């Protein structure tokens, strides 16, 4: 039923509903950190603001995301969804020609990477 709805219900819609209904419930446990729905809402809002202001992101602009499996990945994804930017998920273990191919195929004009990934391959 949700897929047949117009407009369709998105994961961002579901997330926002949970933020309203259970803001202080845990959403993500990573190592010794617990992040609630409210925490992720706040962090994703700050990330969306920073990406709009400093990277000039606007709806429809493709963004390649080259982040490791960590909490920042989740609030980055939410921030991009809030901005209306499609996201090309790049495997952060890929390097060299495979990474170059993934970046070219994504046709992204912006790449988001963690500081540890910066300059690790000849693509940048």
């Amino acid at each position: 039923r949700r897929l047949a709805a117009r407009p369709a219900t998105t994961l961002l819609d579901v997330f926002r509903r949970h933020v309203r209904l259970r803001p202080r419930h845990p959403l993500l446990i990573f190592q010794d950190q617990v992040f609630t729905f409210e925490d992720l809402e706040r962090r994703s809002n700050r990330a969306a603001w920073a990406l709009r202001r400093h990277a000039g992101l606007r709806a429809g602009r493709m963004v390649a995301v080259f982040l490791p499996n960590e909490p920042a990945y989740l609030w980055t994804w939410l921030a991009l969804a809030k901005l209306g930017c499609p996201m090309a998920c790049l495997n952060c273990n890929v390097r060299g020609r495979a990474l170059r191919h993934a970046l070219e195929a994504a046709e992204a004009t912006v790449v988001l990477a963690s500081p540890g990934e910066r300059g690790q391959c000849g693509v940048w």
Side-chain angles (χ1 to χ4, degrees):
R1 273 186 279 161
R2 288 185 180 161
L3 290 177
R6 297 285 178 238
T9 301
T10 66
L11 288 174
L12 181 57
D13 296 329
V14 173
F15 171 76
R16 286 180 165 156
R17 187 174 315 118
H18 283 283
V19 170
R20 280 192 319 274
L21 296 175
R22 50 186 69 82
R24 291 182 182 80
H25 284 226
L27 171 63
L28 176 66
I29 299 172
F30 182 80
Q31 296 173 352
D32 61 346
Q33 299 174 297
V34 177
F35 297 92
T36 66
F37 284 94
E38 187 175 59
D39 293 332
L40 271 288
E41 173 73 352
R42 192 171 33 258
R43 289 173 188 255
S44 64
N45 285 342
R46 280 194 302 232
W49 179 87
L51 290 169
R52 180 181 299 260
R53 178 158 168 98
H54 298 292
L57 291 183
R58 298 289 183 257
R61 192 157 176 204
M62 175 62 76
V63 178
V65 177
F66 191 60
L67 296 173
N69 187 16
E70 61 185 25
Y73 192 96
L74 184 54
W75 61 72
T76 299
W77 173 79
L78 287 166
L80 292 172
K82 289 175 179 184
L83 292 172
C85 295
M87 178 172 134
C89 306
L90 303 180
N91 183 335
C92 69
N93 295 312
V94 174
R95 298 287 189 267
R97 279 190 278 171
L99 179 56
R100 182 181 304 274
H101 173 74
L103 284 167
E104 289 171 357
E107 297 181 356
T109 56
V110 173
V111 176
L112 299 179
S114 67
E117 303 301 330
R118 187 173 172 198
Q120 296 297 312
C121 63
V123 175
W124 311 109

